[in-house]
Amino acid sequence: IPGSGYIKQTLSVKDLSKGITISRVNQTAAPSPAWGSLYWQYYQNMDEVRSSGSSLKVEKQLFVERIVDNHKTIFPINGQNINTTEQIVKKGDKIITRIVITTDRHLEFVALKDNRAANLEPVNQLSGCNWKEQVIYYRTVKDASTQYFFNYLPKGTYVFEDEYYVNASGEFSGGTASIQCLYAPEFIGTSKGERVVSK
């Protein structure tokens, strides 16, 4: 951008193979502070996304609800023993999405986005303010995601759950959950991707 000192340059893969060096163009000018950053952008299947985040983390777990001995019981559908009868997901089953947020500091204006599988329909489709885990947040349901907005998120670990019904058979990307502090966007976290298979 002319006059602002902002420079943006896009590099290809062959440019990166030579290495990157950043230096001042005018070595004779008086030293002044400068900031820069590098971004690596690439495309990947949603179910192959790896979790990321350090100061702000999010983990997403999927469970199927079953009635066992007249009690509601949940079984992980993305665990190790996926072939047990209780874990096979069918059309009409209720899926519980559990999102675990961990932050090592107090944050303000935090946005959480939970992308859901295309075969899941939310049970609670009304948007509005909620109080849970000692925090107030605004929850809104979109076509392909459920979003949470926290005005203030203190240091700690928080667990949020949503219920969905399976409305189609097939194999679907389970979607990822991502969280970011919008006042300090360097604090960001993403959950790992997975797949949802329904019979």
Side-chain angles (χ1 to χ4, degrees):
I1 299 172
S4 68
Y6 177 77
I7 299 170
K8 179 178 179 181
Q9 186 172 2
T10 303
L11 303 174
S12 64
V13 175
K14 62 181 180 181
D15 296 329
L16 295 176
S17 63
K18 302 171 189 172
I20 298 174
T21 304
I22 300 174
S23 60
R24 292 174 53 207
V25 176
N26 189 351
Q27 299 291 339
T28 59
S32 61
W35 292 267
S37 59
L38 296 173
Y39 298 92
W40 181 22
Q41 182 177 349
Y42 60 96
Y43 296 99
Q44 189 173 32
N45 294 331
M46 287 291 288
D47 55 315
E48 296 174 0
V49 173
R50 291 178 287 181
S51 63
S52 63
S54 54
S55 298
L56 183 60
K57 297 179 186 175
V58 62
E59 180 185 354
K60 180 178 177 180
Q61 303 165 332
L62 298 175
F63 300 88
V64 60
E65 185 180 279
R66 297 277 185 257
I67 304 298
V68 178
D69 297 329
N70 293 326
H71 292 93
K72 288 183 180 179
T73 308
I74 58 174
F75 296 91
I77 63 173
N78 52 359
Q80 299 294 327
N81 302 318
I82 196 69
N83 295 323
T84 62
T85 305
E86 292 84 3
Q87 295 170 319
I88 296 174
V89 178
K90 303 180 194 75
K91 201 154 74 165
D93 281 347
K94 185 184 282 187
I95 302 295
I96 310 295
T97 299
R98 179 178 294 164
I99 296 176
V100 181
I101 301 169
T102 306
T103 175
D104 65 358
R105 65 197 68 207
H106 303 315
L107 296 172
E108 293 182 347
F109 203 47
V110 177
L112 167 66
K113 184 176 184 181
D114 175 22
N115 294 304
R116 61 178 171 270
N119 67 331
L120 299 182
E121 192 67 28
V123 174
N124 180 11
Q125 299 188 8
L126 297 177
S127 300
C129 284
N130 295 277
W131 166 265
K132 188 178 181 184
E133 294 283 315
Q134 305 297 314
V135 293
I136 298 174
Y137 61 94
Y138 185 83
R139 176 183 171 275
T140 182
V141 179
K142 301 291 186 183
D143 288 339
S145 65
T146 303
Q147 299 177 8
Y148 305 78
F149 300 96
F150 304 89
N151 190 42
Y152 179 63
L153 190 66
K155 175 181 177 180
T157 300
Y158 305 90
V159 179
F160 300 97
E161 291 184 350
D162 254 317
E163 298 178 337
Y164 301 92
Y165 282 116
V166 178
N167 64 5
S169 301
E171 188 172 342
F172 301 87
S173 171
T176 60
S178 58
I179 189 167
Q180 186 172 27
C181 176
L182 301 183
Y183 282 162
E186 64 270 20
F187 296 106
I188 186 171
T190 306
S191 70
K192 69 180 182 66
E194 53 199 42
R195 295 198 72 74
V196 175
V197 180
S198 57
K199 304 294 183 185

